[in-house]
């Protein structure tokens, strides 16, 4: 039986030792990089699965950051809107106090003139509140959006009209609306608009506002808007009409929602003025007294806060005696109560959105923490484990160097005598 001996040359031993040293050195360098960066995964090839998990967590965390930035702007806008609605409520209360003061029978014409001027100032102040914009120029009460101020005074006769896009934006699970529906807050009062005592139509048309232009010179008054039936209500739904008298018994009707429509000339039937719809008789109102040529009346399906204030100012300033003034004050106070409730409702809605924003913000912060935890578990280095691995690798590297030095120093001739 013969024995086989593998022959290992010195060059093979040296190569093996060098490879071992290089491997140990590479491992030590990698561990050093891991410890310096604090990460276990420095590149996708280190751990493809962990790298993918970390990338997904980073992407989602970036989305949360963007959503939080947008939510912060939305909260600022809604907080601003809530503040403005609070200021509007205060202004309405001040307007109400002045109206009560106007009912004092001891007031002189000069006193009434001063009160009227103060009422006009408050009215214009509330109009500026309704057209408040955010830092980017977007109207806070523009509803679903508008490139123009949501409330404008189109004509003297039609007063302030809502020119925004009605409707309330809705939020999502990570957002709240940027704006409040200005029409619901300022221009949809379910109340009597003024001393003209708007009525409810036979088809359930809802409240109609009847306003008289402040420049009217006749003794005519208008009241009790009614509809002819369901078909009339449908044909005239949402439309506002201007009636301009050309004589005591004739008048021109203009549909304020259709600026291209030509005025239609009609004649009073006793005390009834008909208008609206294709046949111009879907709506009607009672006209008493004697209108003068040029006198203007406006019928709207809903009253605005500005209609209420304009009517109060007009009725108080033109009241012929204390009895008439007291009647005007009583009607104005009733209407102002409805206006106050409308503003408070909008303010409550803004408060609800702000509360919801706080909940969203808390949820998003918790989500950001979870995502950071996912990323950390996927790619961060356990420092205790990293230090231990580095020490072990360092000891192995030192052993490889020492063994190589010993092998390199050995020579057969050193043992020959």
């Amino acid at each position: 039986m013969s024995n086989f001996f593998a022959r290992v040359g010195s060059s093979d031993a040296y190569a093996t030792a060098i490879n071992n040293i290089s491997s140990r050195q590479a491992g030590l360098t990698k561990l050093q990089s891991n410890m310096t960066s604090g990460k276990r995964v420095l590149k996708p090839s280190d751990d493809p699965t962990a790298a993918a998990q970390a990338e997904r967590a980073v992407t989602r965390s970036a989305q949360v950051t963007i959503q939080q930035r947008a939510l912060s702007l939305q909260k600022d806008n809604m907080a601003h809107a809530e503040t403005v609605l609070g200021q509007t409520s205060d202004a309405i209360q001040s307007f109400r106090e002045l109206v009560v003061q106007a009912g004092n029978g001891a007031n002189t014409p000069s006193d009434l003139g001063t009160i009227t001027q103060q009422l006009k100032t408050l009215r214009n102040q509330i109009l500026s509140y309704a057209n408040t914009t955010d830092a980017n120029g977007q109207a806070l009460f523009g509803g679903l959006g508008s490139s123009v101020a949501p409330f404008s005074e189109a004509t003297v006769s039609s007063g302030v009209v809502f020119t925004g896009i009605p409707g309330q934006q809705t939020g999502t699970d990570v957002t709240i609306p940027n704006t409040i529906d200005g029409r619901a807050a300022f221009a949809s009062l379910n109340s009597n608009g003024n001393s003209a005592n708007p009525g409810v139509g036979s088809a359930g048309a809802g409240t109609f506002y009847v306003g008289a232009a402040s420049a009217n010179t006749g003794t005519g008054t208008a009241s009790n808007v009614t509809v002819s039936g369901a078909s009339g209500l449908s044909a005239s739904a949402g439309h506002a009409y201007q009636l301009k008298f050309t004589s005591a018994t004739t008048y021109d009707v203009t549909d304020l929602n259709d600026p291209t429509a030509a005025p239609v000339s009609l004649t009073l039937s006793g005390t009834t003025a008909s208008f609206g719809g294709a046949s111009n008789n879907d709506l009607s109102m009672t006209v008493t007294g004697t209108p003068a040529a040029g006198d203007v009346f406006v019928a709207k399906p809903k009253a605005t806060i500005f209609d209420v204030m304009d009517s109060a100012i007009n009725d108080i300033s033109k009241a012929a005696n204390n009895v008439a003034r007291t009647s005007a004050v009583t009607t104005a106070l009733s209407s102002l109560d409805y206006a106050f409730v409308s503003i408070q409702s909008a303010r409550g809605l803004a408060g609800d959105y702000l509360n919801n924003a706080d909940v969203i913000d808390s949820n998003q912060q918790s989500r950001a923490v979870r995502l950071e935890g996912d990323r950390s578990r996927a790619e961060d280095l356990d420092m205790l484990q990293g230090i231990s691995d580095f020490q072990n690798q360092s000891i192995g590297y030192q052993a490889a160097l020492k063994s190589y030095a010993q092998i390199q120093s050995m020579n057969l001739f050193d043992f020959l005598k």
Side-chain angles (χ1 to χ4, degrees):
M1 181 177 179
S2 60
N3 295 325
F4 176 78
F5 297 96
R7 183 176 181 181
V8 179
S10 297
S11 61
D12 291 335
Y14 294 158
T16 300
I18 290 296
N19 288 337
N20 193 13
I21 290 172
S22 299
S23 176
R24 292 284 183 176
Q25 187 177 32
L28 193 63
T29 301
K30 183 177 184 301
L31 287 173
Q32 186 180 28
S33 298
N34 292 140
M35 292 178 64
T36 302
S37 65
K39 294 185 179 299
R40 180 179 63 85
V41 180
L42 295 175
K43 55 184 183 295
S45 59
D46 293 341
D47 189 338
T49 301
Q53 292 174 344
E55 182 64 26
R56 284 195 296 270
V58 169
T59 300
R60 290 170 182 169
S61 182
Q63 291 174 347
V64 170
T65 299
I66 294 172
Q67 291 166 352
Q68 285 292 82
R69 189 178 298 117
L71 180 65
S72 178
L73 293 175
Q74 292 159 0
K75 286 177 64 176
D76 289 344
N77 282 356
M78 196 55 61
H80 190 188
E82 193 274 338
T83 299
V84 170
L85 288 169
Q87 293 171 334
T88 302
S89 297
D90 293 341
I92 292 175
Q93 288 291 70
S94 297
F95 192 99
R96 195 179 192 281
E97 292 171 2
L98 286 171
V99 169
V100 171
Q101 184 178 341
N104 189 337
N107 286 325
T108 65
S110 177
D111 294 334
L112 289 174
T114 301
I115 292 173
T116 300
Q117 185 57 48
Q118 291 175 322
L119 291 174
K120 291 179 180 179
T121 299
L122 284 171
R123 181 262 194 199
N124 293 334
Q125 182 179 340
I126 293 175
L127 178 58
S128 68
Y129 288 153
N131 285 326
T132 301
T133 59
D134 62 12
N136 297 319
Q138 180 183 14
L140 292 180
F141 303 104
L144 299 180
S146 176
S147 58
V148 298
F151 291 91
S152 64
E153 297 188 81
T155 65
V156 174
S157 59
S158 60
V160 176
V161 295
F162 180 72
T163 55
I165 301 176
Q168 180 59 57
Q169 296 177 354
T170 57
T172 67
D173 56 344
V174 294
T175 65
I176 63 172
N178 271 315
T179 61
I180 291 290
D181 182 5
R183 186 178 71 171
F186 293 89
S188 294
L189 305 188
N190 292 315
S191 66
N192 288 340
N194 68 345
S195 57
N197 189 25
V200 178
S202 58
T207 300
F208 280 87
Y209 165 81
V210 178
S214 59
N216 286 2
T217 57
T219 60
T221 60
S223 61
N224 298 328
V225 174
T226 59
V227 297
S228 60
S231 60
L233 175 63
S234 174
S236 304
H239 285 241
Y241 296 91
Q242 172 186 283
L243 280 67
K244 184 174 182 179
F245 280 79
T246 54
S247 71
T249 57
T250 59
Y251 57 96
D252 291 341
V253 178
T254 303
D255 185 345
L256 296 177
N257 292 80
D258 185 1
T260 63
V264 178
S265 297
L266 298 171
T267 302
L268 279 176
S269 176
T271 59
T272 300
S274 299
F275 56 95
S279 58
N280 293 306
N281 62 2
D282 291 334
L283 300 175
S284 62
M285 65 183 180
T286 302
V287 178
T288 57
T290 304
D295 283 1
V296 173
F297 298 92
V298 174
K300 300 179 181 179
K302 293 280 187 178
T304 70
I305 286 177
F306 309 103
D307 293 332
V308 169
M309 291 187 292
D310 288 342
S311 294
I313 293 170
N314 185 61
D315 292 349
I316 290 172
S317 63
K318 290 191 173 183
N321 49 53
N322 287 338
V323 174
R325 189 175 302 111
T326 299
S327 175
V329 167
T330 301
T331 301
L333 291 178
S334 175
S335 298
L336 286 170
D337 288 342
Y338 284 99
F340 185 79
V341 169
S342 180
I343 292 297
Q344 287 299 97
S345 296
R347 189 180 184 186
L349 179 62
D352 289 340
Y353 284 135
L354 288 173
N355 290 336
N356 190 37
D358 290 337
V359 174
I360 293 173
D361 185 56
S362 177
N363 292 339
Q364 288 287 72
Q365 289 181 15
S366 299
R367 185 184 179 197
V369 171
R370 291 195 301 270
L371 290 171
E372 177 59 22
D374 293 343
R375 183 208 61 77
S376 179
R377 286 188 292 273
E379 68 176 3
D380 283 354
L381 176 68
D382 183 340
M383 293 304 295
L384 293 178
Q385 184 64 43
I387 292 172
S388 176
D389 292 343
F390 182 81
Q391 290 175 342
N392 291 336
Q393 191 74 4
S394 179
I395 292 172
Y397 180 57
Q398 292 174 7
L401 289 175
K402 290 179 180 180
S403 63
Y404 176 73
Q406 289 178 356
I407 293 174
Q408 188 180 38
S409 63
M410 291 181 182
N411 193 304
L412 180 61
F413 295 102
D414 293 337
F415 296 94
L416 294 178
K417 300 294 185 177

